């Protein structure tokens, strides 16, 4: 069962403004990355369903986070079907993210009041997702759609909450651009976790990068 309800999870995403996106086949590495992000101020973390037995890794990480990162909402990304969504919800996922919009995933998530953030690339997709109860939609891929897409969508649909993923970088210019365009939060993956830093177990670097990214969000919102 999810540790935090739908309202709390969306609030964490919106208040911090940054959701790290990460996968590693080694649960111990994933645990340290989650802890490093938590120490940097992150309160919502997306573990991607990318490799074989990813759900087994998540099961270990979510239990670790419950003890070591008590305020962290652990979610799962790269979900494209309802069966996989149900599997992760049973393992304690607080939110579900996907690269595409599948209304059947909405049904599964709504039944348990777990937020579903589907990937949307058009205004119509966002509207269709909202009709099925998706309070937060993912602007994906962000580097293709750009900030003008966000501004253009929000003009006629100002109630829309968007998380942008894809091409987001932990730089002042990049983050400021998305926040000022009007996104609710940004999802950030490889730019936050360079392979060489993870291989070297440089968790202090990850913590500092998270702090830096969060400070850019806060500055852009002033």
């Amino acid at each position: 069962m999810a540790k935090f309800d739908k309202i709390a999870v969306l609030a964490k995403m919106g208040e911090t403004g940054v959701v790290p996106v990460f996968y590693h086949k080694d649960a111990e590495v994933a645990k340290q990355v989650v802890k490093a992000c938590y120490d940097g101020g992150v309160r919502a973390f997306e573990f991607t369903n990318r490799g074989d037995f990813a759900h087994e890794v998540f099961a270990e990480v979510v239990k670790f986070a419950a003890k070591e990162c008590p305020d962290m909402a652990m979610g799962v990304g790269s979900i494209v079907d309802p069966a996989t969504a149900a599997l992760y919800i049973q393992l304690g996922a607080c939110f579900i993210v996907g690269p595409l919009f599948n209304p059947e995933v909405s049904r599964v998530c709504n039944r348990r009041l777990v937020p579903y953030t589907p990937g949307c690339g058009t205004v119509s997709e966002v509207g269709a997702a909202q009709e099925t109860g998706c309070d937060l939609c993912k602007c994906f891929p962000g580097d293709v759609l750009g900030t003008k897409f966000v501004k253009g969508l929000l003009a006629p649909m100002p109630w829309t909450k968007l998380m942008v993923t894809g091409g987001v970088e932990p730089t002042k210019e990049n983050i400021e651009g998305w926040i000022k365009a009007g996104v609710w939060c940004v999802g950030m993956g490889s730019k936050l976790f360079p392979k060489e830093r993870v291989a070297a177990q440089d968790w202090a670097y990850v913590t500092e990068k998270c702090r830096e990214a969060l400070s850019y969000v806060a500055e852009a919102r002033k």
Side-chain angles (χ1 to χ4, degrees):
M1 182 174 171
K3 185 176 182 180
F4 300 100
D5 65 23
K6 190 175 188 178
I7 296 173
V9 171
L10 293 173
K12 287 176 184 290
M13 291 176 162
E15 287 166 8
T16 58
V18 175
V19 180
V21 179
F22 182 79
Y23 166 78
H24 200 285
K25 63 181 181 181
D26 187 332
E28 295 308 313
V29 171
K31 289 175 185 177
Q32 294 308 311
V33 168
V34 170
K35 184 63 166 62
C37 290
Y38 188 77
D39 291 343
V42 168
R43 292 298 178 265
F45 188 101
E46 178 187 330
F47 180 84
T48 53
N49 177 50
R50 292 284 175 87
D52 292 336
F53 308 107
H55 66 287
E56 294 182 4
V57 176
F58 179 77
E60 287 189 48
V61 175
V62 77
K63 292 173 185 176
F64 168 84
K67 295 180 179 179
E68 303 297 328
C69 314
D71 292 324
M72 183 76 93
M74 292 295 299
V76 180
S78 299
I79 302 301
V80 298
D81 63 278
T84 308
L87 170 64
Y88 276 103
I89 289 173
Q90 192 63 23
L91 292 174
C94 290
F95 60 95
I96 299 294
V97 181
L100 50 77
F101 168 52
N102 182 338
E104 292 305 310
V105 175
S106 290
R107 290 173 61 86
V108 170
C109 292
N110 288 339
R111 187 173 290 116
R112 296 283 287 270
L113 298 184
V114 170
Y116 170 40
T117 297
C120 300
T122 68
V123 176
S124 294
E125 281 185 318
V126 171
Q130 289 174 338
E131 288 179 0
T132 68
C134 298
D135 297 287
L136 177 67
C137 292
K138 182 168 80 167
C139 173
F140 179 78
D143 51 354
V144 174
L145 297 171
T147 56
K148 289 183 179 179
F149 172 78
V150 174
K151 292 177 182 178
L153 185 152
L154 290 175
M157 299 164 63
W159 56 83
T160 301
K161 290 181 175 59
L162 294 173
M163 172 172 77
V164 61
T165 303
V168 180
E169 302 174 7
T171 64
K172 183 177 187 296
E173 181 182 18
N174 187 282
I175 291 178
E176 185 178 81
W178 289 113
I179 295 299
K180 288 190 177 297
V183 300
W184 182 253
C185 59
V186 298
M188 206 179 316
S190 59
K191 302 293 184 181
L192 202 56
F193 313 107
K195 288 183 178 179
E196 64 274 13
R197 297 286 185 170
V198 173
Q201 298 188 7
D202 189 354
W203 311 132
Y205 172 88
V206 174
T207 295
E208 185 53 38
K209 274 298 172 184
C210 287
R211 285 200 186 109
E212 192 179 312
L214 291 172
S215 71
Y216 294 146
V217 170
E219 190 176 339
R221 285 175 171 172
K222 289 182 181 177

